[in-house]
Amino acid sequence: MLSKGGCPKNALSIRDALEALEGRWKLLILFSLSTGNKRFKQISKEVPGITDKTLSKELKNLEGNKLITRNVYDTFPPTVEYSITAHGKSLEKVMDELHYWGLAHRKKIMGK
Amino acid sequence: MLSKGGCPKNALSIRDALEALEGRWKLLILFSLSTGNKRFKQISKEVPGITDKTLSKELKNLEGNKLITRNVYDTFPPTVEYSITAHGKSLEKVMDELHYWGLAHRKKIMGK
């Protein structure tokens, strides 16, 4: 698309995507949930560097964008787990391309 | 990749990519430069909502990441133009997938 030149319609869709995925955490949280349902503390461990406050905010935002669901189980005390939705899983190709590009970028910039 | 489950190596490459593309502006600036070399004011017009201060900061960051080049022409007064590099153009597939996903997301969330 870049080689074919930009058009305003595409820029709008890319803007929508960037807004839903803004920041450095959301895709990493989804990536963590892609291996299975997890509790807050488990996600926190798998996304190094994130604070509890930020993780809490990001989880709410992801839920609002229908990318994850928050499941409350009727145990005592109640158990809360997060799971990725089908819509969240539909980011697979975006993640794949980011992965390939990230590898190439690391080579280019860091020479590793 | 999401469906196959995450692995730490992939998360690292995705983290690298997200760091290089962080925020809502960089891909939109690259998108603007994908149609040809442009001067500061032209980019500013094509990326609605960006301030001059932010654009200036983002251009420096993109240059540092070898995604664009800043070309100074020996005119009077000197002319400055920005162009996308081959490395910047290599984001095409990422942009394509973001575009498709952004369209689906708009449909899902906004019902448009």
Side-chain angles (χ1 to χ4, degrees), chain B residues 4-37:
Chain B
K4 286 171 228 148
C7 90
K9 269 209 158 172
N10 288 351
L12 180 66
S13 58
I14 289 173
R15 188 177 278 251
D16 285 342
L18 292 177
E19 270 175 28
L21 307 174
E22 197 176 16
R24 64 174 67 194
W25 302 115
K26 293 186 186 69
L27 283 175
L28 297 173
I29 294 167
L30 290 173
F31 195 71
S32 158
L33 289 177
S34 69
T35 51
N37 298 2

Side-chain angles (χ1 to χ4, degrees), chain A residues 19 23 26 34 72 78 83 92 103 108:
Chain A
E19 270 175 28
K26 293 185 185 69
S34 69
V72 184
S83 58
E92 184 178 359
L103 285 178
K108 177 105 190 160

Side-chain angles (χ1 to χ4, degrees), chain B residues 1 11 16 19 25 28 31-32 34 43 54 61-62 66 72 76 85 92 96 104 111-112:
Chain B
M1 184 171 55
D16 285 342
E19 270 175 28
W25 302 115
L28 297 173
F31 195 71
S32 158
S34 69
I43 304 169
T54 303
N61 182 297
L62 289 169
K66 299 186 185 174
V72 185
F76 185 82
T85 62
E92 185 179 358
D96 276 347
K112 285 177 201 171

Side-chain angles (χ1 to χ4, degrees), chain A residues 53-93:
Chain A
K53 193 181 160 189
T54 302
L55 178 54
S56 173
K57 199 190 73 186
E58 295 287 16
L59 287 170
K60 270 182 201 141
N61 182 297
L62 288 168
E63 204 190 344
N65 274 314
K66 300 184 185 175
L67 297 168
I68 63 168
T69 46
R70 183 175 182 273
N71 315 294
V72 184
Y73 297 102
D74 187 17
T75 52
F76 185 81
T79 319
V80 179
E81 259 187 9
Y82 296 89
S83 58
I84 192 165
T85 62
H87 186 47
K89 277 185 189 155
S90 75
L91 277 163
E92 184 178 359
K93 281 184 184 172

